[in-house]
Amino acid sequence: MSAISGTIVRHVIEGREISFFVVDPFDAIQKHHLEGKFYEQEELALISEFLSADRAFIDIGTNVGNHAIFVAKLRRCAKVIVFEPNPAAIEILRINLLLNRCDNVDTRFLGVALGAGDGAVRVVADPRPHNLGGAGVAEDPGGDVVLMAADGLLAGESVGFIKIDVEGLELEVLAGLKTTIQRWRPVMFVEVMQDNTEVFMTWVAASPYHVGGTIQRYEGVLNYLLLPGEPRLA
């Protein structure tokens, strides 16, 4: 691990000591960590309702570990499996996992980007300042990041919940999760870009899922809670 400048902050959250390594105090997520808070608390509360104590939580688009550390340290879950392709985020994520002794977090797939199939991509930084989590990936045959479908990587896992935050590639990631979804019917929480809404809702209509709730934090982006089975009648 290369040298990286930052500040370690420690807070007590829900009676547990939680530590964060903050590199950019103005970053959209890290500024909350600096203040002693997890980012997206409303979303985390919703996710908490549907976690399985005996199945894995899959965090696709982990960034610096906000959701992964919350689940690993403050909720009952068999395992947390993290996916993050951005080297700058991975560097901070690894430090956060070490600081919090997250022994139940599986980091085997860090550096891998998920999609519908195999290939190569490159990481594209968000042009907006202070938004490390806004980085995405672009197809590039000469790219230095491996692109894979999640099904092959999760074949041996018991999957209970999948969180997807991949800056516009949510449909490709879902395509690569087809077998996992069919086998385990996990609850899912998916960030969907506005331009993808119509195609995403077509996917939902053809799937064994229904929308159990939505949360909007930013314009042009909506988070969908997807629950398996038919919706209950009021």
Side-chain angles (χ1 to χ4, degrees), residues 109-177:
F109 309 122
L110 289 181
V112 174
L114 296 183
D118 296 342
V121 295
R122 56 184 169 82
V123 173
V124 181
D126 192 325
R128 296 169 296 182
H130 309 300
N131 192 28
L132 181 61
V137 297
E139 267 191 73
D140 183 349
D144 58 356
V145 177
V146 175
L147 179 72
M148 302 180 72
D151 276 336
L153 304 176
L154 297 175
E157 304 294 342
S158 174
V159 178
F161 197 110
I162 300 176
K163 166 242 172 185
I164 301 174
D165 180 353
V166 289
E167 303 304 311
L169 295 179
E170 49 273 9
L171 274 305
E172 288 85 346
V173 171
L174 285 168
L177 282 163

Side-chain angles (χ1 to χ4, degrees), residues 13 18 20 33 37-41 44 66 69-70 74:
I13 302 175
I18 304 294
F20 297 111
H33 295 169
K37 298 180 291 187
F38 279 99
Y39 177 64
E40 293 189 341
Q41 293 187 38
L44 292 173
N66 184 83
I69 292 169
F70 175 86
L74 302 181

Side-chain angles (χ1 to χ4, degrees), residues 164-168 170 189-193 221-224:
I164 301 174
D165 180 353
V166 289
E167 303 304 311
E170 49 273 9
F189 193 70
V190 186
E191 181 189 84
V192 180
M193 296 297 182
V221 182
L222 194 60
N223 290 303
Y224 290 83

Side-chain angles (χ1 to χ4, degrees), residues 1-109:
M1 186 180 294
S2 60
I4 179 173
S5 298
T7 302
I8 296 174
V9 292
R10 291 184 171 86
H11 310 281
V12 176
I13 302 175
E14 295 187 15
R16 301 289 299 274
E17 183 177 285
I18 304 294
S19 300
F20 297 111
F21 186 65
V22 177
V23 172
D24 179 0
F26 302 104
D27 178 77
I29 294 176
Q30 294 175 62
K31 66 182 181 183
H32 290 81
H33 295 169
L34 190 64
E35 296 169 357
K37 298 180 291 187
F38 279 99
Y39 177 64
E40 293 189 341
Q41 293 187 38
E42 185 181 2
E43 288 87 335
L44 292 173
L46 187 60
I47 288 171
S48 296
E49 295 180 31
F50 298 96
L51 292 173
S52 299
D54 58 347
R55 291 189 182 182
F57 173 76
I58 313 301
D59 189 350
I60 301 174
T62 304
N63 191 28
V64 299
N66 184 83
H67 288 55
I69 292 169
F70 175 86
V71 173
K73 297 296 291 184
L74 302 181
R75 297 295 178 263
R76 293 184 65 225
C77 191
K79 179 194 285 190
V80 177
I81 303 176
V82 291
F83 290 90
E84 175 56 52
N86 185 0
I90 291 172
E91 202 167 23
I92 301 170
L93 169 61
R94 288 192 182 278
I95 295 171
N96 282 335
L97 294 176
L98 286 171
L99 287 172
N100 291 287
R101 300 178 183 177
C102 294
D103 299 329
N104 61 336
V105 176
D106 186 337
T107 62
R108 286 176 296 159
F109 309 122

